[in-house]
Amino acid sequence: MTDVARTAVDFWFDPSCPWAWMTSRWVDEVSTARDLDVTWHIMSLAILNEDKDVSDSYRANFPRLMRYARLVAAVEQREGQASVKPLYDALGTRIHPGGSKDADAVIADALAEVGLPADYARYADSDEYDAELRASHDDGIERVGQEVGTPIIAVNGTAFFGPVISPTPRGEQALTLWDGIVAAASYDGFFELKRTRTRGPQFD
């Protein structure tokens, strides 16, 4: 009997992005049923928008956004790829459904949850791994172009921005959406399908 090859999926996220969080929960929902082999990659909305004309209020969030992204980049370099998703889950649970704006507490509690040294928090304020962070970010963006955001997903090498979803679909609905997205992405000439968002992120 021939083993069925697992579907290779690459997922780029900014830990602070609620839309990436929603989509990541959907990918988790689909992962077992569709036998996905998901690799999680860091990207940064602060880096994406550093040279763009954004509001002062949004730009004021960049230091906090960079703290989370820098931490994930450092942990990947020091602990390996397998540590990225558990740390993302621990950070995101506190940032999004938890609603915490206290980055120091989020970082400390997330590190404790995943069993990493507390002093790793120092990497959130260090540029030591910025080159690796930017390389990961650029890898995702180069696959889809500059006029996107997070998340970015690549399925067997074909990348797209999104999907942007709320709330996270579950069960058969999650699988139906996945199959439709993958089918659309499989056509080389497919580029864009969009409508205006009518709701914000609805967390479980």
Side-chain angles (χ1 to χ4, degrees), residues 70-193:
R70 280 173 162 163
L71 178 65
V72 174
V75 166
E76 179 176 10
Q77 294 303 309
R78 298 186 68 86
E79 301 290 334
Q81 223 292 319
S83 295
V84 172
K85 179 59 160 49
L87 180 58
Y88 178 32
D89 290 345
L91 291 168
T93 297
R94 291 164 173 79
I95 296 167
H96 302 300
S100 178
K101 302 294 186 185
D102 185 345
D104 288 337
V106 167
I107 289 167
D109 292 346
L111 288 171
E113 179 181 322
V114 299
L116 291 172
D119 68 355
Y120 272 24
R122 70 184 186 275
Y123 293 113
D125 299 303
S126 168
D127 62 3
E128 182 174 348
Y129 295 103
D130 276 14
E132 290 81 0
L133 167 59
R134 287 180 178 273
S136 178
H137 174 91
D138 290 345
D139 184 25
I141 289 296
E142 286 169 3
R143 299 172 187 237
V144 292
Q146 291 289 330
E147 300 306 316
V148 298
T150 172
I152 294 169
I153 299 179
V155 181
N156 288 328
T158 299
F160 51 89
F161 161 61
V164 175
I165 51 178
S166 181
T168 296
R170 301 295 182 184
E172 285 299 318
Q173 194 171 45
L175 300 179
T176 298
L177 177 61
W178 175 262
D179 293 341
I181 293 292
V182 172
S186 69
Y187 175 58
D188 182 64
F190 177 81
F191 297 107
E192 188 170 344
L193 181 67

Side-chain angles (χ1 to χ4, degrees), residues 49 53-65 101:
N49 292 291
D53 184 15
V54 298
S55 68
D56 290 341
S57 60
Y58 184 63
R59 191 172 295 278
N61 291 319
F62 284 8
R64 178 166 52 88
L65 271 57
K101 302 294 186 185

